[in-house]
Amino acid sequence: MKKSKILITTLLIFLFAMCISPITTFAEGLDLSEAKIDIEGVKFNYIPGDKPQATAYKCDPWDELYDIEYEYWEEMEMDETGELIPIKFWYSDNNKNNALSEDKKIDVFEEGKTYMYSISLKAKDGNKFGNNSSVRVNSTKISSVSVFNSGTILFVTAVKTIKPTAPVQL
């Protein structure tokens, strides 16, 4: 009886220790250079009058090795050559957003205007992204991925373009 109590107590202590040990212990062998980054929860179903929101979260085994630096919306307008160019912006990073002049900020989404979403990821603790890193956003593979700043920044541009419309009233 005493041996079984000791065995059960030892087993419970071991299981408890495994539950509270940092996940990074298992992530130490992971390398961002060929990571398959998975970002979920990005909101694209805005209607006119909605304010942009930071809703993205990391959902992959590499999530302890990088942070979401900021989410980014651009209001796009067609120029005289027919090319879409950004004219207004919104950053989930308050410092970047507050640095914009008021006439360059997106406060709310407007009906009929075109908006493009991008996201910037930043490696932590000396880790580096590689050119072979792949990114999925809301389960969709994104091909427009660029690595900057000697591998510490992974910028995923033109993830999705939206044109908010008012809901149909029945």
Side-chain angles (χ1 to χ4, degrees), residues 7-169:
L7 179 63
I8 290 172
T9 304
T10 305
L11 182 61
L12 288 174
I13 290 171
F14 173 75
L15 290 173
F16 178 74
M18 289 304 292
C19 289
I20 64 168
S21 68
I23 299 299
T24 54
T25 303
F26 300 109
E28 285 177 3
L30 296 176
D31 179 6
L32 280 176
S33 66
E34 295 193 26
K36 292 175 178 34
I37 305 296
D38 188 8
I39 304 296
E40 296 294 330
V42 179
K43 181 177 178 178
F44 293 124
N45 59 341
Y46 288 100
I47 60 171
D50 284 348
K51 294 181 179 193
Q53 300 173 6
T55 57
Y57 59 87
K58 304 176 288 182
C59 191
D60 56 62
W62 296 269
D63 67 349
E64 294 291 324
L65 304 179
Y66 70 95
D67 285 322
I68 295 174
E69 184 178 28
Y70 58 83
E71 294 178 73
Y72 180 57
W73 282 100
E74 296 172 283
E75 181 181 318
M76 308 300 283
E77 188 175 86
M78 197 169 293
D79 69 5
E80 61 277 349
T81 66
E83 183 178 341
L84 285 174
I85 57 167
I87 58 166
K88 288 186 176 182
F89 312 89
W90 177 85
Y91 292 91
S92 62
D93 178 295
N94 286 333
N95 291 332
K96 289 185 179 301
N97 210 49
N98 292 337
L100 296 170
S101 62
E102 287 303 314
D103 64 327
K104 294 293 183 186
K105 284 185 186 179
I106 299 171
D107 294 317
V108 297
F109 290 99
E110 297 179 45
E111 185 167 15
K113 294 196 175 180
T114 302
Y115 299 90
M116 184 176 71
Y117 176 85
S118 302
I119 189 168
S120 180
L121 308 175
K122 186 173 187 175
K124 297 189 323 190
D125 302 326
N127 290 293
K128 297 194 185 287
F129 295 103
N131 291 326
N132 294 328
S133 298
S134 69
V135 178
R136 296 177 74 78
V137 175
N138 289 2
S139 301
T140 301
K141 186 169 178 11
I142 308 300
S143 59
S144 52
V145 176
S146 302
V147 178
F148 296 106
N149 211 25
S150 301
T152 60
I153 302 293
L154 184 72
F155 192 68
V156 188
T157 186
V159 172
K160 186 164 182 142
T161 301
I162 64 169
K163 193 177 258 191
T165 56
V168 175
Q169 299 293 325

